Amino acid sequence: MRAARLIKMVLLLQARPSMTAAELARELEVSERTVARDVLSLSEAGVPVYADRGRAGGYRLIGGYRTRLTGLGRSEAEALFLSGVPSALREMGLADAASAARLKVSAALLPELRDAATGVAQRFHLDAPAWYQEPETPALLPEIADAVWDDRRITARYLRKDTEVERELEPYGLVLKAGVWYLAARTEGDYRVYRVDRFTAVVAAAERDSGTGARDAGTEAARERFTRDAAFDLPAFWAERAAQFARSILREEVVLRLSASGIRQLPYVTERTAAREAIARAQSEGGPDEQGRLTVTLAVESADVAYAQLLALGPEGEILAPPELRARFATAAHRTAALYP
């Protein structure tokens, strides 16, 4: 604990020209007296820490005591600091490690590049969850993240609808989509996607095998860890599965006639890709009529979902088929009109 604090103190002093005892105490979460003792220990160990006396005094390193990453340019340094997603790192239990890494990089950068972290933080921020949702961190996410980092096999219990099943998984990667965490894993030779908040228990191979007696070290390591497929590309895999999922849930079709305003609004009230494909297909097959209205055939998840989504179009969209859905819209229109006599 103390050794880690001393290292952090050196890194802080490398990153800044000078720091007061109060500033160091606040960063290190210790008392100023502890800071003074730590500075003395560093001096005795040969680290050139110098104390400036007086009101504006503080501590600083002398003699050019630092390691510099001279190969990094400004754009590279900024991209490095941009790569971390604070909320995601915190949920995976990696916030402290990320903070220490950023501090080490800041301390090693040339002085003219040390504002890269602050500059990026003030210009870019990722807010992953969707609007009007309070995201909840899955309880087992840190354990799963550890297994992903270590390429370690896990035995997991998972809720599938109302049934709890057990699976042996090789956890390949984690994806954060609109505030929801997903695990891409290989099982029985096939890659699948699991929602992390549906896991009820996760046991890593090392924990499962503990207490079973001595084994050959090579055999034990082979049992605990899996060999990652070098051809696996997590972003490409996710994009493909996301597209498959979007297509799989659009099982029904709705025919509707759109005004020019309705054409513009449709991608914002229903599944965007399906809306754009429907509009493009209708425009290529004949285009708008004399009044500028376009008749499209739209893939939807169900009649109920289409009803809820397409009501947002109001008078800019007219349902033509199926007849049952058209009747529901006609009823809704009459009820709405009755509210405004």
Side-chain angles (χ1 to χ4, degrees), residues 219-268:
T219 303
E220 183 68 17
R223 285 177 57 84
E224 293 175 1
R225 291 181 169 82
F226 62 90
T227 301
R228 180 175 288 266
D229 182 356
F232 180 81
D233 184 329
L234 180 60
F237 168 79
W238 177 258
E240 179 185 352
R241 288 304 172 93
Q244 289 177 358
F245 174 75
R247 289 192 297 268
S248 70
I249 64 174
L250 303 178
R251 302 185 183 92
E252 299 184 25
E253 290 185 342
V254 171
V255 180
L256 65 157
R257 188 157 45 215
L258 301 168
S259 67
S261 177
I263 295 171
R264 291 192 299 270
Q265 293 179 42
L266 188 63
Y268 299 98

Side-chain angles (χ1 to χ4, degrees), residues 244-322:
Q244 289 177 358
F245 174 75
R247 289 192 297 268
S248 70
I249 64 174
L250 303 178
R251 302 185 183 92
E252 299 184 25
E253 290 185 342
V254 171
V255 180
L256 65 157
R257 188 157 45 215
L258 301 168
S259 67
S261 177
I263 295 171
R264 291 192 299 270
Q265 293 179 42
L266 188 63
Y268 299 98
V269 301
T270 188
E271 207 282 320
R272 186 165 298 184
T273 300
R276 288 175 174 168
E277 290 177 352
I279 291 170
R281 185 167 56 250
Q283 288 175 334
S284 67
E285 292 176 352
D289 60 18
E290 314 78 60
Q291 287 80 38
R293 299 175 302 176
L294 185 69
T295 300
V296 304
T297 300
L298 176 69
V300 296
E301 184 174 346
S302 68
D304 288 338
V305 171
Y307 177 76
Q309 293 175 339
L310 298 177
L311 273 177
L313 293 176
E316 308 305 328
E318 177 189 1
I319 303 298
L320 303 178

Side-chain angles (χ1 to χ4, degrees), residues 71-88:
L72 280 181
R74 171 166 293 279
S75 61
E76 294 170 320
E78 290 174 341
L80 179 62
F81 285 108
L82 182 61
S83 64
V85 182
S87 60

Side-chain angles (χ1 to χ4, degrees), residues 103-247:
L103 181 59
K104 290 177 182 179
V105 172
S106 295
L109 287 172
L110 291 167
E112 59 268 25
L113 298 180
R114 288 191 190 136
D115 66 340
T118 303
V120 168
Q122 295 305 318
R123 288 169 174 81
F124 301 99
H125 174 67
L126 175 63
D127 184 10
W131 287 104
Y132 314 119
Q133 292 184 6
E134 287 295 331
E136 294 185 4
T137 302
L140 296 173
L141 178 61
E143 287 85 346
I144 294 173
D146 284 344
V148 170
W149 282 116
D150 291 342
D151 293 340
R152 192 180 298 275
R153 293 184 178 87
I154 60 174
T155 298
R157 297 193 66 80
Y158 182 83
L159 285 176
R160 190 171 61 188
K161 296 184 179 179
D162 297 328
T163 305
E164 190 175 61
V165 297
E166 184 172 289
R167 293 285 184 270
E168 297 283 333
L169 302 176
E170 296 178 354
Y172 264 67
L174 286 163
V175 175
L176 178 60
K177 169 70 171 177
V180 180
W181 285 95
Y182 296 88
L183 173 68
R186 184 168 61 184
T187 179
E188 299 177 353
D190 187 27
Y191 294 102
R192 300 179 186 177
V193 175
Y194 301 87
R195 276 187 59 146
V196 175
D197 58 5
R198 292 181 183 168
F199 284 101
T200 59
V202 172
V203 181
E207 300 172 40
R208 185 174 68 251
D209 292 341
S210 61
T212 56
R215 292 187 180 90
D216 175 78
T219 303
E220 183 68 17
R223 285 177 57 84
E224 293 175 1
R225 291 181 169 82
F226 62 90
T227 301
R228 180 175 288 266
D229 182 356
F232 180 81
D233 184 329
L234 180 60
F237 168 79
W238 177 258
E240 179 185 352
R241 288 304 172 93
Q244 289 177 358
F245 174 75
R247 289 192 297 268

Side-chain angles (χ1 to χ4, degrees), residues 311 329-341:
L311 273 177
F329 271 78
T331 300
H334 288 306
R335 291 177 60 193
T336 303
L339 298 175
Y340 302 93

